[in-house]
C-alpha cells in the first residue's frame, strides 16, 4: 500500500482539547497541515474564547458530521453577575447594573430551574446565525438591528459548581445549538441584576469527553514525530452510541451497492451502524419493511472500506 492509499484509508475522529484564542477553523487547518489530509471538518463550532472538546472528523468520516453534530453538549460556564454586554460575553461593551447585586445562591438556583427542559432561546446578536443570507455578527458590527427568531433547544441539566459572587460557575448539559451566552444573559434579565459569560469550557460533545481529548499542542508534537495515529478514533467508534450490526463479506458487498440486509430477530432500534468483521464502518442504516412484511436494514450512508 503506497502513501496515497494509506491516506485514503484514514477515516475517523480526532478529539482535540481546543485552547483559548483559536477559532474552530484554525484547529481544522492545523490538523489538515499536520496530517496532510485535505478532508477534515469540525462537528460544532467552539468560540475562540472557549476551550475544551472539539471533535474533528478526517477522511471519509467527515460524512458523519451531521450525526455527530446533532449530539448533546456539556459545558462548564463562568457567569459574572452585575452587568450586561451587547455580545452577552466579556468581548462586548459592559454596561454595569445600577443597583448592587443582592442575589443569593438559592435565588440563583431557583432561576436556573426555569431554564431546564425544552425552552425557546434567542441566539445572541453577535453569532454566526444567518439572517437573509448574512451572518448576524456581521450585521451587528455594522450597527444594524439584528432581529433573530427564537429557536427550540433542550437543557437537560443545570447545576451550580462554585458560588463566588459576582462570579458563578455552572455545569450545563444541553442540546446541540444551545448558546450558553444567551443563557447567561437571560439569567441576568430574570434576576434583574444583569449577567454575562466570562469563561466557557466544553467538557463533553456527544460521547466524547475531556478524557478522550488530546491538547492541540500535544497533537502537533505527534504530527512532527509521525505518531499521531495513536490519537485517531476509528470511524466505526465515532458513533459508538449507535448499535452495531456485523456484516459478513457478502453483505458488505451488497450494502456497498445499496442493497438491504435482513434483520436478524426482532428489531429494537431504528438506526444502526453496519460494520465489517474487521470492525470497519461500512454504512449507516435505517429500519425498513420489506414487501413480505419482514424487517430489513436500508443503507442510508455508505462508506467504502479499505480492503
Amino acid at each position: 500500500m503506497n502513501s496515497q492509499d494509506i491516506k485514503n484509508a484514514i477515516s475517523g475522529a480526532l478529539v482535540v482539547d481546543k485552547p483559548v484564542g483559536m477559532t474552530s477553523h484554525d484547529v481544522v487547518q492545523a490538523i489538515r497541515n499536520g496530517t496532510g489530509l485535505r478532508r477534515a471538518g469540525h462537528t460544532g463550532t467552539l468560540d475562540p474564547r472557549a476551550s475544551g472538546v472539539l471533535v474533528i472528523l478526517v477522511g471519509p468520516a467527515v460524512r458523519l458530521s451531521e450525526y455527530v453534530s446533532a449530539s448533546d453538549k456539556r459545558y462548564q460556564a463562568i457567569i459574572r453577575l452585575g452587568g450586561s454586554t451587547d455580545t452577552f460575553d466579556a468581548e462586548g461593551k459592559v454596561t454595569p447594573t445600577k443597583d448592587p447585586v443582592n442575589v443569593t445562591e438559592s435565588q440563583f438556583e431557583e432561576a436556573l430551574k426555569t431554564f431546564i427542559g425544552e425552552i425557546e432561546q434567542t441566539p445572541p446578536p453577535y453569532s454566526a446565525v444567518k439572517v437573509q443570507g448574512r451572518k448576524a455578527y456581521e450585521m451587528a458590527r455594522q450597527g444594524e438591528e439584528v432581529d433573530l427568531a427564537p429557536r427550540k433547544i433542550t437543557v437537560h441539566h443545570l447545576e451550580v459548581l462554585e458560588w463566588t459572587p459576582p462570579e458563578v460557575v455552572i455545569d450545563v448539559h444541553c442540546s446541540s445549538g444551545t448558546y450558553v451566552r444567551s443563557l447567561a444573559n437571560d439569567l441576568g434579565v430574570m434576576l434583574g441584576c444583569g449577567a454575562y459569560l466570562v469563561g466557557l469550557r466544553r467538557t463533553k460533545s456527544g460521547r466524547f469527553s475531556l478524557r478522550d481529548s488530546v491538547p492541540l499542542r500535544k497533537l502537533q508534537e505527534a504530527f512532527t514525530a509521525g505518531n499521531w495515529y495513536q490519537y485517531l478514533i476509528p470511524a466505526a467508534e465515532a458513533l459508538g452510541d449507535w448499535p452495531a450490526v456485523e456484516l459478513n463479506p457478502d453483505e458488505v458487498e451488497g450494502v456497498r451497492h445499496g442493497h438491504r440486509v435482513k434483520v436478524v430477530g426482532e428489531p429494537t432500534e431504528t438506526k444502526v451502524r453496519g460494520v465489517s468483521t474487521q470492525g470497519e464502518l461500512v454504512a449507516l442504516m435505517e429500519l425498513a419493511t420489506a414487501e413480505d412484511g419482514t424487517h430489513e436494514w436500508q443503507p442510508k450512508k455508505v462508506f467504502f472500506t479499505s480492503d
Side-chain angles (χ1 to χ4, degrees), residues 143-215:
E144 296 178 47
E145 193 71 32
V146 183
D147 187 20
L148 293 171
R151 51 174 66 179
K152 281 189 177 177
I153 60 157
T154 303
V155 178
H156 303 289
H157 177 79
L158 292 170
E159 182 184 356
V160 174
L161 299 178
E162 291 178 39
W163 177 257
T164 52
E167 291 191 351
V168 189
V169 181
I170 65 170
D171 175 54
V172 183
H173 180 200
C174 55
S175 63
S176 184
T178 300
Y179 281 93
V180 183
R181 282 184 288 152
S182 287
L183 178 64
N185 183 75
D186 293 346
L187 267 168
V189 171
M190 174 172 280
L191 292 166
C193 64
Y196 57 97
L197 190 69
V198 294
L200 187 67
R201 182 154 174 76
R202 187 149 71 194
T203 56
K204 199 169 185 185
S205 180
R207 62 181 293 263
F208 299 115
S209 69
L210 284 170
R211 285 194 303 271
D212 305 303
S213 70
V214 55

Side-chain angles (χ1 to χ4, degrees), residues 69-245:
S69 300
S71 302
D72 290 347
K73 308 289 192 284
R74 196 158 199 148
Y75 300 90
Q76 276 190 15
I78 306 172
I79 295 172
R80 177 165 292 189
L81 304 174
S84 59
T85 80
D86 51 356
T87 59
F88 299 174
D89 63 14
E91 287 267 283
K93 183 183 176 185
V94 180
T95 305
T97 186
K98 292 175 183 174
D99 304 312
V101 178
N102 292 319
V103 177
T104 65
E105 185 174 0
S106 60
Q107 286 173 328
F108 186 88
E109 287 178 334
E110 282 303 309
L112 271 187
K113 288 176 186 175
T114 65
F115 291 93
I116 296 173
E118 186 178 83
I119 62 171
E120 288 206 332
Q121 183 189 69
T122 303
Y126 285 82
S127 64
V129 175
K130 288 192 174 178
V131 182
Q132 296 176 340
R134 297 173 63 200
K135 289 180 179 175
Y137 67 80
E138 291 172 351
M139 298 170 67
R141 281 175 185 160
Q142 291 173 7
E144 296 178 47
E145 193 71 32
V146 183
D147 187 20
L148 293 171
R151 51 174 66 179
K152 281 189 177 177
I153 60 157
T154 303
V155 178
H156 303 289
H157 177 79
L158 292 170
E159 182 184 356
V160 174
L161 299 178
E162 291 178 39
W163 177 257
T164 52
E167 291 191 351
V168 189
V169 181
I170 65 170
D171 175 54
V172 183
H173 180 200
C174 55
S175 63
S176 184
T178 300
Y179 281 93
V180 183
R181 282 184 288 152
S182 287
L183 178 64
N185 183 75
D186 293 346
L187 267 168
V189 171
M190 174 172 280
L191 292 166
C193 64
Y196 57 97
L197 190 69
V198 294
L200 187 67
R201 182 154 174 76
R202 187 149 71 194
T203 56
K204 199 169 185 185
S205 180
R207 62 181 293 263
F208 299 115
S209 69
L210 284 170
R211 285 194 303 271
D212 305 303
S213 70
V214 55
L216 182 60
R217 174 189 48 77
K218 194 171 179 182
L219 187 58
Q220 288 175 314
E221 289 171 0
F223 290 148
T224 304
N227 61 355
W228 65 270
Y229 299 96
Q230 65 182 304
Y231 300 116
L232 185 71
I233 296 165
E237 292 178 30
L239 287 175
D241 47 352
W242 284 41
V245 170

Side-chain angles (χ1 to χ4, degrees), residues 23-39:
T23 67
S24 300
H25 181 71
D26 289 339
V27 177
V28 170
Q29 199 55 50
I31 283 174
R32 283 180 182 150
N33 294 340
T35 61
L37 297 171
R38 188 175 55 81
R39 297 181 76 186

